[in-house]
Amino acid sequence: MTMKPLSSLRIIEFDGLGPVTFLGMVLADLGADVVRLTRADSAGAAVFTEVGGAILHRGRAAVPVNLKDDGDRARVLDLLAHSDGLIEGFRPGVMERLGLGPETCLARNPALVFARVTGWGQTGPLAPAVGHDINYLALSGALSTFGEADRPARPPLNLVGDYAGGALMGAIGLLSGVLQARTTGKGTVIDVAMTDGVALMTALFHALKARGLWTDQRDANLLDGSTPFYRCYRCRDGGEVAVGALEPRFYAALLAGLELSADDAPQYDRTRWPEISGRFAAIFATRDRDDWTARFEGTEACVTPVLTLGEAVTHAHNQSRGTFDAAGAPAPAPLFDGVRPGSGALERTEIPLVDALERWNRPTAAI
């Protein structure tokens, strides 16, 4: 059985780096008919050479176009006439200079949802500036929370800015706009700024800070690795385990596994946290990672092995759920009625622009 919950959705993706590519993949995974407009190589073929393209370009057709050519640009507008949405990640003004800005596209298709994903957004003094994930995290305040107190902040890969604050916020905005357009017939322009998206994700910590339960000092708060019961520990073989024993009963299970009593390591005595962390570290260093994994399996201690990317592919839990496909790539998510979406249609393909137009001239079912 193949689950495609977004099968009635037609999306044009203007090829780019980072969040737009990931957003296009997610929409295609969920069954949307996504056409990826990409530049052509010297032979006129679509370019698939972006880092990560073998996975990130899956599930949708690549259409080589020259956006500076009047004929190709006209055909793109014809394609937009049959589209539900458009996603692009160029700097502000680029689409307008190409003659494909929101005003032009919405004039051609008044119900179009025009999603623009950038780091700084379409407005504000930094809107035209260059930047990367780390810069957007920095300005949102989130980057200041990652890392150890006596070292510079460490970026959490590009998962938080590009993919969560950009791509996934873009998906929410785009789908919300499509639902509105299908009710009202009126399209909209979605301004997705990674700085906005990441700032929104810090809502809990602003709330805790307002109550005096969070400080701006890094490595000194409940969830940032400063407590002995919410951090990682190195094991004898160099592997690591993650400990998340926040609640008292989970902490009790952790102590039992470490053969310690509550008097040895009182959970909420902040003055003793450095001492307790050192004690836990010394104990975890006496066994290999997988020994600790086996010891805590079936308990409520919230202790798990820190797996590498390769190890995650072969872990029994992930294999049982099909979290990764047969080639070891992350599979589409989430599940719908227990079925993983998009199965059997993940290959990337290439088609000419005229074929895309012919295909989209046919009607599609409404949601």
Side-chain angles (χ1 to χ4, degrees):
M1 178 181 180
T2 300
M3 179 63 70
K4 296 185 176 182
L6 296 183
S7 60
S8 71
L9 203 63
R10 288 173 166 174
I11 302 295
I12 291 183
E13 169 194 348
F14 284 80
D15 191 27
L17 300 174
V20 169
T21 307
F22 186 77
L23 172 53
M25 183 196 76
V26 168
L27 295 173
D29 283 351
L30 295 175
D33 187 353
V34 181
V35 168
R36 185 173 70 89
L37 303 182
T38 184
R39 63 186 177 87
D41 62 18
S42 58
V47 174
F48 283 113
T49 55
E50 181 200 329
V51 173
I55 296 174
L56 295 178
H57 289 160
R58 71 189 183 195
R60 64 239 198 239
V63 177
V65 295
N66 179 1
L67 294 177
K68 295 181 180 179
D69 177 80
D70 291 340
D72 272 8
R73 204 161 49 245
R75 284 185 282 273
V76 168
L77 284 170
D78 288 341
L79 198 61
L80 280 166
H82 300 283
S83 305
D84 295 289
L86 173 160
I87 53 178
E88 61 97 355
F90 301 122
R91 289 166 70 180
V94 171
M95 289 290 282
E96 286 82 353
R97 288 194 293 274
L98 289 170
L100 294 168
E103 185 176 348
T104 301
C105 294
L106 284 164
R108 187 62 183 272
N109 180 356
L112 183 72
V113 178
F114 196 116
R116 321 191 78 169
V117 185
T118 60
W120 309 113
Q122 300 297 311
T123 62
L126 288 177
V130 297
H132 282 294
D133 180 282
I134 190 172
N135 307 117
Y136 314 137
L137 287 184
L139 202 74
S140 72
L143 185 58
S144 71
T145 67
F146 297 114
E148 299 174 352
D150 59 345
R151 298 181 182 181
R154 292 182 66 90
L157 304 182
N158 68 327
L159 300 175
V160 179
D162 277 350
Y163 291 161
L168 296 185
M169 286 294 179
I172 293 170
L174 176 73
L175 296 177
S176 299
V178 169
L179 285 174
Q180 175 179 267
R182 290 187 174 181
T183 300
T184 65
K186 187 176 187 302
T188 188
V189 179
I190 311 293
D191 179 359
V192 183
M194 285 179 250
T195 47
D196 294 347
V198 175
L200 178 61
M201 287 186 287
T202 65
L204 169 64
F205 309 103
H206 280 278
L208 292 174
K209 192 171 185 294
R211 296 173 57 192
L213 300 176
W214 193 273
T215 74
D216 283 337
Q217 181 181 346
R218 185 163 55 248
D219 198 18
N221 298 285
L222 186 64
L223 300 177
D224 64 4
S226 67
T227 71
F229 48 85
Y230 200 86
R231 52 164 291 185
C232 296
Y233 291 96
R234 183 69 56 84
C235 303
R236 181 174 59 189
D237 60 351
E240 298 177 2
V241 292
V243 175
L246 283 170
E247 291 79 2
R249 86 175 203 224
F250 300 161
Y251 186 69
L254 172 66
L255 293 183
L258 296 176
E259 299 181 349
L260 294 173
S261 70
D263 290 335
D264 293 326
Q267 182 171 12
Y268 287 109
D269 185 347
R270 296 179 66 97
T271 64
R272 294 187 60 186
W273 280 356
E275 168 209 333
I276 295 168
S277 292
R279 193 166 188 177
F280 285 4
I283 295 172
F284 277 114
T286 63
R287 297 188 181 201
D288 292 349
R289 184 196 69 180
D290 292 348
D291 292 339
W292 285 116
T293 300
R295 182 176 182 84
F296 283 106
E297 187 173 359
T299 75
E300 293 187 328
C302 300
V303 176
T304 52
V306 177
L307 302 179
T308 65
L309 294 178
E311 289 175 323
V313 173
T314 61
H315 190 274
H317 180 79
N318 294 333
Q319 286 197 328
S320 72
R321 289 183 56 81
T323 303
F324 297 89
D325 65 20
L335 276 62
F336 294 77
D337 289 331
V339 178
R340 200 167 288 280
S343 300
L346 302 184
E347 299 81 10
R348 62 186 189 185
T349 57
E350 177 183 343
I351 62 173
L353 182 54
V354 291
D355 287 359
L357 272 170
E358 181 182 351
R359 190 175 78 196
W360 278 16
N361 274 327
R362 298 191 294 268
T364 184
I367 290 178

